[in-house]
Short mmCIF file of all heavy atoms in Angstrom, two decimals:
data_model
loop_
_atom_site.label_atom_id
_atom_site.label_comp_id
_atom_site.label_asym_id
_atom_site.label_seq_id
_atom_site.Cartn_x
_atom_site.Cartn_y
_atom_site.Cartn_z
N ILE B 16 9.73 -18.53 -2.21
CA ILE B 16 9.69 -17.12 -2.61
C ILE B 16 9.20 -17.04 -4.06
O ILE B 16 9.69 -17.77 -4.92
CB ILE B 16 11.10 -16.49 -2.50
CG1 ILE B 16 11.66 -16.65 -1.09
CG2 ILE B 16 11.07 -15.03 -2.93
CD1 ILE B 16 11.06 -15.78 -0.04
N TRP B 31 2.60 -15.99 -2.87
CA TRP B 31 2.66 -17.27 -2.16
C TRP B 31 2.61 -18.43 -3.14
O TRP B 31 2.25 -19.55 -2.78
CB TRP B 31 1.50 -17.37 -1.15
CG TRP B 31 1.55 -16.25 -0.15
CD1 TRP B 31 2.57 -15.99 0.71
CD2 TRP B 31 0.55 -15.26 0.10
NE1 TRP B 31 2.28 -14.88 1.48
CE2 TRP B 31 1.04 -14.42 1.13
CE3 TRP B 31 -0.70 -14.98 -0.45
CZ2 TRP B 31 0.32 -13.33 1.62
CZ3 TRP B 31 -1.41 -13.90 0.05
CH2 TRP B 31 -0.90 -13.09 1.08
N VAL B 42 0.32 -21.69 5.94
CA VAL B 42 1.31 -20.73 5.44
C VAL B 42 1.23 -19.46 6.27
O VAL B 42 2.26 -18.87 6.65
CB VAL B 42 1.04 -20.43 3.96
CG1 VAL B 42 1.95 -19.31 3.47
CG2 VAL B 42 1.25 -21.68 3.12
N SER B 43 0.01 -19.05 6.57
CA SER B 43 -0.18 -17.83 7.35
C SER B 43 0.49 -17.96 8.72
O SER B 43 1.15 -17.04 9.20
CB SER B 43 -1.67 -17.58 7.52
OG SER B 43 -1.91 -16.63 8.52
N GLN B 44 0.33 -19.14 9.31
CA GLN B 44 0.92 -19.34 10.62
C GLN B 44 2.44 -19.31 10.55
O GLN B 44 3.12 -18.70 11.38
CB GLN B 44 0.45 -20.66 11.19
CG GLN B 44 0.55 -20.71 12.69
CD GLN B 44 0.30 -22.09 13.22
OE1 GLN B 44 -0.17 -22.96 12.48
NE2 GLN B 44 0.61 -22.30 14.48
N ALA B 45 2.98 -19.96 9.50
CA ALA B 45 4.43 -19.95 9.33
C ALA B 45 4.93 -18.52 9.13
O ALA B 45 5.94 -18.10 9.70
CB ALA B 45 4.82 -20.83 8.15
N LEU B 46 4.19 -17.74 8.32
CA LEU B 46 4.63 -16.37 8.05
C LEU B 46 4.54 -15.51 9.30
O LEU B 46 5.40 -14.65 9.51
CB LEU B 46 3.78 -15.76 6.95
CG LEU B 46 4.22 -16.05 5.53
CD1 LEU B 46 3.28 -15.37 4.54
CD2 LEU B 46 5.64 -15.55 5.30
N SER B 47 3.53 -15.75 10.11
CA SER B 47 3.43 -14.90 11.29
C SER B 47 4.57 -15.22 12.25
O SER B 47 5.02 -14.37 12.99
CB SER B 47 2.06 -15.04 11.96
OG SER B 47 1.95 -16.30 12.54
N ARG B 48 5.04 -16.45 12.20
CA ARG B 48 6.20 -16.80 13.03
C ARG B 48 7.49 -16.27 12.41
O ARG B 48 8.36 -15.74 13.10
CB ARG B 48 6.27 -18.31 13.16
CG ARG B 48 6.88 -18.81 14.46
CD ARG B 48 6.59 -20.27 14.65
NE ARG B 48 7.80 -21.09 14.61
CZ ARG B 48 8.66 -21.19 15.61
NH1 ARG B 48 8.47 -20.52 16.71
NH2 ARG B 48 9.72 -21.96 15.51
N ARG B 49 7.59 -16.38 11.10
CA ARG B 49 8.87 -16.04 10.45
C ARG B 49 8.98 -14.55 10.11
O ARG B 49 10.08 -14.03 10.00
CB ARG B 49 9.02 -16.87 9.18
CG ARG B 49 9.18 -18.35 9.51
CD ARG B 49 9.19 -19.23 8.29
NE ARG B 49 9.11 -20.63 8.71
CZ ARG B 49 9.02 -21.65 7.87
NH1 ARG B 49 9.00 -21.43 6.57
NH2 ARG B 49 8.95 -22.88 8.32
N ALA B 50 7.85 -13.90 9.85
CA ALA B 50 7.94 -12.49 9.50
C ALA B 50 7.06 -11.62 10.37
O ALA B 50 6.96 -10.42 10.13
CB ALA B 50 7.55 -12.31 8.03
N GLY B 51 6.41 -12.21 11.36
CA GLY B 51 5.60 -11.42 12.28
C GLY B 51 4.29 -10.92 11.69
O GLY B 51 3.70 -10.00 12.23
N GLN B 52 3.86 -11.50 10.58
CA GLN B 52 2.66 -11.00 9.91
C GLN B 52 1.80 -12.17 9.47
O GLN B 52 2.19 -12.90 8.58
CB GLN B 52 3.05 -10.22 8.66
CG GLN B 52 4.00 -9.10 8.93
CD GLN B 52 3.33 -7.76 8.77
OE1 GLN B 52 2.12 -7.64 8.94
NE2 GLN B 52 4.10 -6.76 8.43
N PRO B 53 0.58 -12.33 10.03
CA PRO B 53 -0.31 -13.35 9.49
C PRO B 53 -0.94 -12.86 8.18
O PRO B 53 -0.77 -11.70 7.82
CB PRO B 53 -1.37 -13.50 10.58
CG PRO B 53 -1.43 -12.16 11.20
CD PRO B 53 -0.03 -11.58 11.12
N MET B 54 -1.64 -13.74 7.51
CA MET B 54 -2.19 -13.38 6.20
C MET B 54 -3.66 -13.01 6.26
O MET B 54 -4.38 -13.13 5.28
CB MET B 54 -1.98 -14.52 5.22
CG MET B 54 -0.53 -14.63 4.77
SD MET B 54 -0.09 -16.27 4.16
CE MET B 54 -1.38 -16.59 2.99
N ALA B 101 -0.06 -11.19 19.92
CA ALA B 101 0.65 -11.99 18.93
C ALA B 101 1.87 -12.65 19.57
O ALA B 101 2.52 -12.07 20.43
CB ALA B 101 1.09 -11.11 17.77
N ALA B 102 2.15 -13.89 19.16
CA ALA B 102 3.34 -14.59 19.67
C ALA B 102 4.59 -13.91 19.13
O ALA B 102 4.56 -13.28 18.07
CB ALA B 102 3.30 -16.04 19.25
N THR B 103 5.69 -14.03 19.86
CA THR B 103 6.92 -13.39 19.41
C THR B 103 7.41 -14.06 18.14
O THR B 103 7.54 -15.29 18.11
CB THR B 103 8.03 -13.54 20.47
OG1 THR B 103 7.42 -13.94 21.67
CG2 THR B 103 8.82 -12.28 20.61
N PRO B 104 7.68 -13.31 17.11
CA PRO B 104 8.20 -13.92 15.90
C PRO B 104 9.66 -14.34 16.08
O PRO B 104 10.34 -13.90 17.01
CB PRO B 104 8.06 -12.82 14.86
CG PRO B 104 7.96 -11.55 15.62
CD PRO B 104 7.45 -11.87 16.98
N LEU B 105 10.11 -15.16 15.17
CA LEU B 105 11.52 -15.58 15.17
C LEU B 105 12.41 -14.37 14.93
O LEU B 105 12.06 -13.48 14.15
CB LEU B 105 11.74 -16.62 14.07
CG LEU B 105 10.97 -17.92 14.26
CD1 LEU B 105 11.01 -18.75 12.98
CD2 LEU B 105 11.56 -18.70 15.41
N ARG B 106 13.54 -14.36 15.60
CA ARG B 106 14.42 -13.20 15.44
C ARG B 106 15.76 -13.62 14.88
O ARG B 106 16.38 -14.57 15.36
CB ARG B 106 14.62 -12.51 16.79
CG ARG B 106 13.35 -11.86 17.29
CD ARG B 106 13.63 -10.67 18.12
NE ARG B 106 14.36 -10.99 19.33
CZ ARG B 106 14.88 -10.08 20.14
NH1 ARG B 106 14.76 -8.80 19.84
NH2 ARG B 106 15.52 -10.43 21.22
N SER B 107 16.19 -12.88 13.87
CA SER B 107 17.52 -13.16 13.34
C SER B 107 18.55 -12.54 14.29
O SER B 107 18.23 -11.67 15.09
CB SER B 107 17.68 -12.56 11.94
OG SER B 107 18.48 -11.42 11.98
N GLU B 110 18.69 -8.89 14.39
CA GLU B 110 17.63 -8.17 15.09
C GLU B 110 17.88 -8.18 16.60
O GLU B 110 17.39 -7.32 17.32
CB GLU B 110 16.27 -8.78 14.76
CG GLU B 110 15.81 -8.40 13.36
CD GLU B 110 14.88 -9.41 12.74
OE1 GLU B 110 14.66 -10.48 13.31
OE2 GLU B 110 14.36 -9.11 11.65
N ALA B 193 13.46 -23.51 7.89
CA ALA B 193 12.75 -22.39 8.52
C ALA B 193 13.68 -21.18 8.63
O ALA B 193 13.29 -20.04 8.33
CB ALA B 193 12.24 -22.79 9.90
N LEU B 194 14.92 -21.44 9.03
CA LEU B 194 15.89 -20.36 9.16
C LEU B 194 16.12 -19.68 7.81
O LEU B 194 16.07 -18.45 7.69
CB LEU B 194 17.22 -20.92 9.69
CG LEU B 194 18.43 -20.00 9.59
CD1 LEU B 194 18.28 -18.80 10.50
CD2 LEU B 194 19.72 -20.75 9.95
N HIS B 196 14.25 -19.61 5.11
CA HIS B 196 13.07 -18.88 4.67
C HIS B 196 12.91 -17.59 5.47
O HIS B 196 12.63 -16.52 4.91
CB HIS B 196 11.83 -19.77 4.80
CG HIS B 196 10.62 -19.16 4.18
ND1 HIS B 196 9.36 -19.25 4.72
CD2 HIS B 196 10.45 -18.43 3.06
CE1 HIS B 196 8.49 -18.60 3.97
NE2 HIS B 196 9.12 -18.10 2.94
N THR B 197 13.10 -17.67 6.77
CA THR B 197 13.00 -16.48 7.62
C THR B 197 13.98 -15.40 7.15
O THR B 197 13.63 -14.23 7.04
CB THR B 197 13.32 -16.84 9.08
OG1 THR B 197 12.45 -17.90 9.48
CG2 THR B 197 13.13 -15.66 10.00
N LEU B 198 15.19 -15.82 6.84
CA LEU B 198 16.20 -14.85 6.42
C LEU B 198 15.84 -14.26 5.06
O LEU B 198 16.01 -13.07 4.82
CB LEU B 198 17.58 -15.49 6.38
CG LEU B 198 18.10 -16.00 7.73
CD1 LEU B 198 19.46 -16.65 7.55
CD2 LEU B 198 18.19 -14.86 8.74
N LEU B 199 15.35 -15.11 4.17
CA LEU B 199 14.98 -14.60 2.85
C LEU B 199 13.84 -13.58 2.96
O LEU B 199 13.77 -12.62 2.19
CB LEU B 199 14.57 -15.74 1.92
CG LEU B 199 15.73 -16.57 1.38
CD1 LEU B 199 15.21 -17.78 0.61
CD2 LEU B 199 16.64 -15.73 0.48
N LEU B 200 12.96 -13.79 3.93
CA LEU B 200 11.87 -12.83 4.13
C LEU B 200 12.40 -11.49 4.62
O LEU B 200 11.74 -10.46 4.47
CB LEU B 200 10.84 -13.38 5.12
CG LEU B 200 9.98 -14.53 4.58
CD1 LEU B 200 9.15 -15.14 5.69
CD2 LEU B 200 9.09 -14.06 3.44
N ARG B 201 13.59 -11.47 5.21
CA ARG B 201 14.19 -10.20 5.63
C ARG B 201 14.66 -9.39 4.43
O ARG B 201 14.88 -8.19 4.54
CB ARG B 201 15.38 -10.45 6.58
CG ARG B 201 15.02 -11.11 7.88
CD ARG B 201 14.13 -10.22 8.73
NE ARG B 201 13.77 -10.86 9.98
CZ ARG B 201 12.74 -11.71 10.12
NH1 ARG B 201 11.97 -11.98 9.08
NH2 ARG B 201 12.47 -12.24 11.28
N VAL B 202 14.89 -10.05 3.32
CA VAL B 202 15.25 -9.36 2.08
C VAL B 202 14.27 -9.81 1.01
O VAL B 202 14.64 -10.13 -0.11
CB VAL B 202 16.71 -9.65 1.64
CG1 VAL B 202 17.68 -8.80 2.38
CG2 VAL B 202 17.05 -11.12 1.80
N ASN B 203 12.98 -9.78 1.40
CA ASN B 203 11.96 -10.38 0.56
C ASN B 203 11.94 -9.81 -0.86
O ASN B 203 11.80 -10.54 -1.84
CB ASN B 203 10.59 -10.20 1.23
CG ASN B 203 9.50 -10.92 0.48
OD1 ASN B 203 9.68 -12.06 0.08
ND2 ASN B 203 8.39 -10.24 0.26
N TRP B 255 15.03 -21.97 16.69
CA TRP B 255 14.87 -22.70 15.42
C TRP B 255 14.50 -24.14 15.66
O TRP B 255 13.79 -24.75 14.87
CB TRP B 255 16.16 -22.64 14.59
CG TRP B 255 16.60 -21.24 14.34
CD1 TRP B 255 17.68 -20.61 14.86
CD2 TRP B 255 15.92 -20.25 13.55
NE1 TRP B 255 17.75 -19.32 14.45
CE2 TRP B 255 16.68 -19.06 13.63
CE3 TRP B 255 14.76 -20.26 12.78
CZ2 TRP B 255 16.32 -17.90 12.97
CZ3 TRP B 255 14.40 -19.09 12.11
CH2 TRP B 255 15.17 -17.93 12.22
N HIS B 265 -4.39 -17.88 14.80
CA HIS B 265 -5.18 -16.97 13.97
C HIS B 265 -6.42 -17.64 13.42
O HIS B 265 -7.06 -17.10 12.53
CB HIS B 265 -4.33 -16.43 12.83
CG HIS B 265 -3.13 -15.68 13.29
ND1 HIS B 265 -3.20 -14.49 13.95
CD2 HIS B 265 -1.81 -15.99 13.22
CE1 HIS B 265 -2.00 -14.08 14.27
NE2 HIS B 265 -1.13 -14.97 13.84
N VAL B 665 -0.70 -7.81 4.10
CA VAL B 665 0.68 -7.81 4.62
C VAL B 665 1.47 -6.72 3.89
O VAL B 665 2.42 -7.01 3.17
CB VAL B 665 1.36 -9.18 4.42
CG1 VAL B 665 2.53 -9.33 5.39
CG2 VAL B 665 0.39 -10.33 4.62
N ASP B 667 3.66 -4.53 4.65
CA ASP B 667 5.09 -4.31 4.88
C ASP B 667 5.95 -5.29 4.09
O ASP B 667 7.07 -4.98 3.68
CB ASP B 667 5.42 -4.43 6.36
CG ASP B 667 4.82 -3.28 7.16
OD1 ASP B 667 4.48 -2.27 6.50
OD2 ASP B 667 4.67 -3.40 8.37
N LEU B 668 5.41 -6.49 3.88
CA LEU B 668 6.19 -7.51 3.21
C LEU B 668 5.88 -7.58 1.71
O LEU B 668 6.76 -7.72 0.89
CB LEU B 668 5.86 -8.87 3.86
CG LEU B 668 6.88 -9.98 3.78
CD1 LEU B 668 8.21 -9.52 4.31
CD2 LEU B 668 6.39 -11.17 4.60
N TYR B 669 4.60 -7.46 1.38
CA TYR B 669 4.17 -7.67 -0.01
C TYR B 669 3.58 -6.43 -0.65
O TYR B 669 3.09 -6.51 -1.77
CB TYR B 669 3.17 -8.81 -0.07
CG TYR B 669 3.72 -10.13 0.43
CD1 TYR B 669 3.19 -10.75 1.55
CD2 TYR B 669 4.79 -10.74 -0.22
CE1 TYR B 669 3.70 -11.96 2.02
CE2 TYR B 669 5.31 -11.93 0.24
CZ TYR B 669 4.77 -12.54 1.36
OH TYR B 669 5.28 -13.72 1.81
#
Side-chain angles (χ1 to χ4, degrees):
Chain B
I16 304 286
W31 301 300
V42 173
S43 165
Q44 203 190 347
L46 275 180
S47 70
R48 210 165 114 77
R49 294 174 190 176
Q52 304 251 26
M54 286 158 51
T103 345
L105 296 168
R106 292 210 297 171
S107 106
E110 285 153 353
L194 167 67
H196 188 218
T197 305
L198 297 179
L199 284 173
L200 288 171
R201 296 295 179 276
V202 279
N203 186 44
W255 304 110
H265 300 293
V665 201
D667 292 342
L668 204 54
Y669 300 116

